[in-house]
Amino acid sequence: MAMNADQILAVELIKQGHNVVLTGQAGSGKTFTIHNSCMELDKLEIKYALTCSTGIATCAYDERAWTLNKWCGILDGRYSNDELIHLMNTDERYVEIKKRICQTQCLIIDEVSMISAKTLGQVEFILRKARNCEKRFGGMQVVLCGDFFQLPPVENELYGDSGKHCFQTTFFDQCFPHKINLHIIYRQNERDLIIAVNELEQGKVSDATLAVMHSLNRPLPEFVSEEEAVHLFCRNADADIHNYNVIANKQGNLVTFSSEDTGDSYYLSKMLAPKHLGLKVGVKVILLTNLSDDLVNGKTGMVHSIQGDSVHVVFQINKKKHHLSLKKIHLYFI
């Protein structure tokens, strides 16, 4: 597929070493543009790192894609800048992290809408310190890609992250003078649908869009059962009630695991993981943390067996089955 003028401009700026922010509605070709940019960087033998805000987002690329937090060593954001410096100088795990940071010429961050101001600030900090260069990002070229009307950063009071968008950092406009918004939608050509998505993203819904949404209301196809369908809820409490009913109606023995909590009760109350987790063979589970390059946050699996305090879960990834046995202590995180 040929690129449009905005996509060509973005690729040219990236090839020339400029910092770029690439935005656009879903289906406007952001990922396609990043793929083309990577091919051009490969031709120029420019070493780049392809990262995403979440593990599930890396699935849009090949095995070279990382989560941003893992690539640069800030992990889940629990460390202060001083602690990161200490780890970089004393922890053997950071030897490899520092090496890849120093060897990288261009850092690409996709799905950047979920990157908070705190996270981008820490990335900027650790790149400067690892490369021993006081220029922003240690002098590294940085490309941001995403749709700021989509998922925002998640506030994390436990680690002092207010959940502000990354463009709210004090250095954002100075570091990213080139901002390109892709406005041609390729994923669909229905004008009413494109307008509806735009209005829903901006929170300004017209009567015409409401009519479009109501017109889409229809029964599920016969080949999709109520159990197989994905259910979306606005509140965690509603999702918990639905999950409870699904498990209760499932045939088999219910096995309940209780969490073992340590720490401040105020912060423990902020955890999404339930205090008591009931499971049956055949129910679906979802990962809420990255366990490996394949088993990432957002992957769903099926409980295959429960033996004592261990749960055996099967995940279907790229048409292959991945088996995972989890001890009781790990159930707190799924």
Side-chain angles (χ1 to χ4, degrees):
M1 185 176 74
M3 292 190 293
N4 63 43
D6 289 331
Q7 292 173 318
I8 292 172
L9 175 60
V11 173
E12 285 302 315
L13 287 170
I14 292 170
K15 284 170 55 180
Q16 294 169 17
H18 294 286
N19 289 356
V20 176
V21 180
L22 182 66
T23 60
Q25 183 181 316
S28 59
K30 298 186 298 297
T31 301
F32 176 73
T33 305
I34 293 299
H35 272 295
N36 278 275
S37 298
C38 290
M39 289 190 292
E40 293 299 321
L41 293 176
D42 284 331
K43 293 176 185 177
L44 296 171
E45 298 185 349
I46 294 175
K47 294 183 178 180
Y48 61 89
L50 179 56
T51 69
C52 301
S53 55
T54 65
I56 202 73
T58 64
C59 298
Y61 299 100
D62 58 25
E63 66 279 356
R64 292 183 296 176
W66 298 68
T67 60
L68 174 65
N69 296 43
K70 182 178 180 181
W71 178 82
C72 65
I74 64 173
L75 302 181
D76 58 3
R78 68 180 61 190
Y79 300 119
S80 67
N81 286 350
D82 288 340
E83 288 172 325
L84 285 172
I85 292 177
H86 177 73
L87 288 168
M88 197 182 302
N89 293 329
T90 61
D91 194 313
E92 62 181 14
R93 294 174 301 173
Y94 278 74
V95 173
E96 186 62 31
I97 292 171
K98 186 175 181 179
K99 179 181 177 181
R100 64 173 170 254
I101 289 176
C102 291
Q103 290 178 342
T104 300
Q105 297 168 272
C106 175
L107 171 62
I108 301 170
I109 308 175
D110 198 5
E111 296 296 346
V112 74
S113 71
M114 295 187 69
I115 299 295
S116 69
K118 177 181 182 290
T119 297
L120 189 64
Q122 283 209 308
V123 172
E124 193 278 327
F125 172 84
I126 200 168
L127 263 56
R128 269 192 289 121
K129 298 306 177 183
R131 295 164 69 90
N132 194 28
C133 174
E134 285 308 306
K135 293 181 179 179
R136 289 293 185 185
F137 294 99
M140 187 184 298
Q141 178 189 7
V142 180
V143 177
L144 307 182
C145 178
D147 180 1
F148 288 111
F149 283 117
Q150 292 186 21
L151 292 174
V154 177
E155 179 182 354
N156 190 330
E157 188 175 359
L158 184 62
Y159 296 151
D161 193 335
S162 63
K164 290 183 178 179
H165 282 97
C166 64
F167 56 73
Q168 293 178 281
T169 55
T170 57
F171 56 80
F172 192 87
D173 286 331
Q174 174 192 359
C175 289
F176 300 98
H178 300 286
K179 301 178 180 68
I180 299 175
N181 183 59
L182 303 180
H183 60 279
I184 301 175
I185 309 302
Y186 293 98
R187 190 171 296 168
Q188 63 270 330
N189 54 19
E190 298 180 38
R191 184 174 179 274
D192 290 342
L193 179 58
I194 294 171
I195 292 174
V197 172
N198 271 320
E199 291 185 356
L200 289 167
E201 284 189 335
Q202 298 176 34
K204 300 176 181 179
V205 182
S206 64
D207 291 339
T209 288
L210 284 175
V212 169
M213 300 304 294
H214 287 306
S215 72
L216 299 175
N217 186 24
R218 59 192 181 277
L220 289 171
E222 293 182 3
F223 58 85
V224 178
S225 67
E226 180 72 17
E227 183 177 335
E228 293 174 323
V230 175
H231 294 72
L232 300 178
F233 299 93
C234 295
R235 301 184 304 171
N236 290 332
D238 295 330
D240 291 339
I241 291 171
H242 172 79
N243 291 336
Y244 174 83
N245 289 331
V246 169
I247 294 174
N249 294 326
K250 190 80 174 178
Q251 296 295 319
N253 296 324
L254 177 68
V255 182
T256 302
F257 299 87
S258 298
S259 66
E260 298 176 358
D261 301 335
T262 57
D264 190 290
S265 59
Y266 174 78
Y267 292 110
L268 287 172
S269 67
K270 303 287 185 181
M271 297 291 185
L272 289 178
K275 302 298 181 185
H276 304 283
L277 179 63
L279 293 175
K280 291 181 180 179
V281 173
V283 302
K284 292 181 179 179
V285 295
I286 186 170
L287 290 175
L288 298 182
T289 189
N290 298 330
L291 298 180
S292 69
D293 291 339
D294 292 315
L295 298 173
V296 297
N297 180 14
K299 283 292 184 184
T300 57
M302 186 80 72
V303 175
H304 182 267
S305 63
I306 303 174
Q307 297 177 341
D309 63 353
S310 295
V311 178
H312 187 79
V313 182
V314 177
F315 295 86
Q316 192 85 15
I317 303 173
N318 296 329
K319 298 182 180 180
K320 295 181 180 179
K321 290 184 177 180
H322 289 242
H323 297 258
L324 177 65
S325 292
L326 299 172
K327 289 291 186 180
K328 179 178 178 181
I329 189 67
H330 291 137
L331 287 174
Y332 190 80
F333 298 103
I334 68 171

